[in-house]
Amino acid sequence: MSKLPDSFLWGGAVAAHQLEGAWKEGGKGVSVADVMTGGAHGVPREITDGVIEGKNYPNHEAIDFYHRYKEDIALFAEMGFTCFRTSIAWSRIFPNGDETEPNEEGLKFYDDLFDECLKYGIEPVVTLSHFEMPYHLVTEYGGFRNRKLIDFFVHFARVCFERYQDKVNYWMTFNEINNQANFHEDFAPFTNSGVKYKDGEDRERIMYQAAHYELVASAKAVKIGKEINSDFQIGCMIAMCPIYPSTSHPKDMLMAQKAMQKRYYFTDVHVHGEYPGHMTKYFERKKFHLDITKDDLEILKEGTVDYIGFSYYMSFAISHQQSSEEYDYNESRDIVKNEYIKASDWGWPIDPEGLRYALNWFTDMYRLPLFIVENGFGAIDEFSEDGKIHDDYRIDYLRAHIEQMMKAMNEDGVDLMGYTPWGCIDLVSAGTGEMKKRYGFIYVDKDNEGNGTLDRYRKDSFYWYKEVIASNGEKL
Ligand code: P53
């Protein structure tokens, strides 16, 4: 297999709320992640009204990265990371989200964290909003259903860009902004946008309105970021689950295409700075009458992204059977099992070729550099009798995906900046709040109930990934 460019970024990815813990330290305010309890596969996390005594909130302590980041970054450096993706917890910088002045202690924490990375030659890759907005913005303003959130986010972004302009080059605005295409469930609208639905509300309209304000906020941030430092690379972040037709029935094909449009129009707005025709027609047909102003449309044009960051875990398959004549996508209803592929213990389909497909699809659609900022295998790890964790299932998953990634680059000519597998150190699952759904190269001794020493251990995948990086992808 031919070589990857020397500039290719190898690393790992995490998000502040899933590993830092220290939820009340350093002046931090309560975030949306702090009011979500632990769930399980098939048991949704409960979103409580504030923090309630006696409930289990796994993100409060997480893996205590806040106090242990030096030890953890040393381990990343040992693996040879050249980049490290994390997020800045918004509520460390603006505890309530609507303050004018930032919290210096929060800013200082990320100065130290980024310095620690740079000490080892590790480039920080930073997401501004990764499922962790200040909870006050939900209770006071209704989250991103409120236009005021644009200014709060942009102010936060400006403060971060100014403060870290000499330390951070790679940025992303909103993590997996398109998860909320699944507005039928409560999880994505809350984690993406701080939106809590009331009974009888038009969930879909509210989602599109919130997403619009986020897209405007993102574009404004991109514009300001480039003014602060023109070298910045600022991307969007999309959860890519390609949707295949379940059969070659033309109606399934059309259903898959319409579903892709609904899940990925967010990328069109980020990249092209305008809504595609299918969306404006859809808004008209549904009579949504969204608050989209002339100024908004201008700012969308002015703040287009430099690259597309995306997560890839799985693909979906879809059938037209349940849908109407118009093929309106309902993610909770229309996704069907793909008989050709297996799934993880959490029911996530495993489809390495889907990554090559996704890389090609993004390239065909948008012609921008791509960055795989999440990919990985959530699994149960156990210590063997020799005291080690032999996570060959994880190695198999990652190897198969890296192979497809390299084919996309070397055979299909895809322009890819880097690869950061998710949860390079075990952390709290976003979807279920569990610890036992582990992704890491590094094991953290902690269970779902919160017991454990928090000690770190290298898994087999740790040594394997180290070789992959050292050989720039040649030794898989
Ligand atoms: P967990 C759904 C589908 C694809 C990616 O997820 C998703 C989700 C939300 O659960 O989230 C991303 O922890 C997200 C991370 C998250 C990771 O995937 O549910 O950006 O915060 O931890 C894995 O197994």
Side-chain angles (χ1 to χ4, degrees), residues 224-405:
I224 290 168
K226 300 295 254 190
E227 281 161 14
I228 292 170
N229 184 341
S230 56
D231 291 339
F232 278 172
Q233 291 292 303
I234 312 179
C236 56
M237 196 321 199
I238 303 292
M240 170 43 90
C241 308
I243 307 173
Y244 305 158
S246 57
T247 74
S248 50
H249 193 303
K251 287 193 189 316
D252 284 336
M253 187 63 216
L254 206 48
M255 185 71 217
Q257 185 173 47
K258 299 303 289 177
M260 287 291 279
Q261 290 176 342
K262 289 278 163 33
R263 247 190 92 85
Y264 301 106
Y265 82 91
F266 302 82
T267 328
D268 294 75
V269 182
H270 275 305
V271 173
H272 299 312
E274 61 185 23
Y275 282 88
H278 60 80
M279 289 313 293
T280 41
K281 285 288 177 203
Y282 184 68
F283 295 158
E284 274 171 38
R285 169 157 67 81
K286 290 281 190 169
K287 301 196 172 53
F288 282 150
H289 304 296
L290 299 178
D291 171 29
I292 300 178
T293 67
K294 263 211 172 113
D295 282 356
D296 291 351
L297 295 177
E298 255 166 57
I299 192 77
L300 290 179
K301 276 265 174 240
E302 291 167 14
T304 55
V305 294
D306 297 313
Y307 68 94
I308 300 168
F310 71 95
S311 65
Y312 178 82
Y313 294 89
M314 58 191 148
S315 60
F316 293 159
I318 198 163
S319 151
H320 73 282
Q321 303 277 353
Q322 306 287 322
S323 187
S324 63
E325 276 298 294
E326 282 121 347
Y327 303 98
D328 290 343
Y329 176 53
N330 176 333
E331 190 158 310
S332 313
R333 182 193 64 195
D334 299 328
I335 300 299
V336 296
K337 190 172 162 16
N338 183 343
E339 298 297 336
Y340 298 98
I341 53 183
K342 294 205 179 79
S344 78
D345 289 344
W346 276 265
W348 288 24
I350 302 166
D351 176 14
E353 275 91 356
L355 176 57
R356 182 175 179 185
Y357 175 81
L359 286 160
N360 275 277
W361 186 84
F362 273 131
T363 303
D364 290 350
M365 290 284 287
Y366 306 112
R367 294 293 150 107
L368 273 191
L370 305 174
F371 198 158
I372 303 170
V373 295
E374 288 184 32
N375 172 233
F377 191 58
I380 294 171
D381 291 326
E382 266 154 16
F383 282 95
S384 296
E385 277 177 16
D386 61 3
K388 305 242 162 73
I389 289 165
H390 302 299
D391 56 341
D392 38 300
Y393 36 90
R394 181 169 294 107
I395 294 173
D396 289 346
Y397 178 99
L398 294 170
R399 179 192 293 118
H401 284 77
I402 294 173
E403 274 168 8
Q404 294 299 321
M405 162 186 111

Side-chain angles (χ1 to χ4, degrees), residues 15 17-18 85 130-131 175-176 179 187 237 239 241 263 311 313-314 316 346 348 374 378 422 427-433 437 439:
H17 74 285
Q18 288 172 263
R85 172 178 179 239
H130 192 136
F131 304 172
N175 185 64
E176 293 189 337
N179 278 354
F187 176 83
M237 196 321 199
C241 308
R263 247 190 92 85
S311 65
Y313 294 89
M314 58 191 148
F316 293 159
W346 276 265
W348 288 24
E374 288 184 32
W422 175 252
L427 39 61
V428 177
S429 156
T432 69
K437 189 182 186 191
Y439 287 87

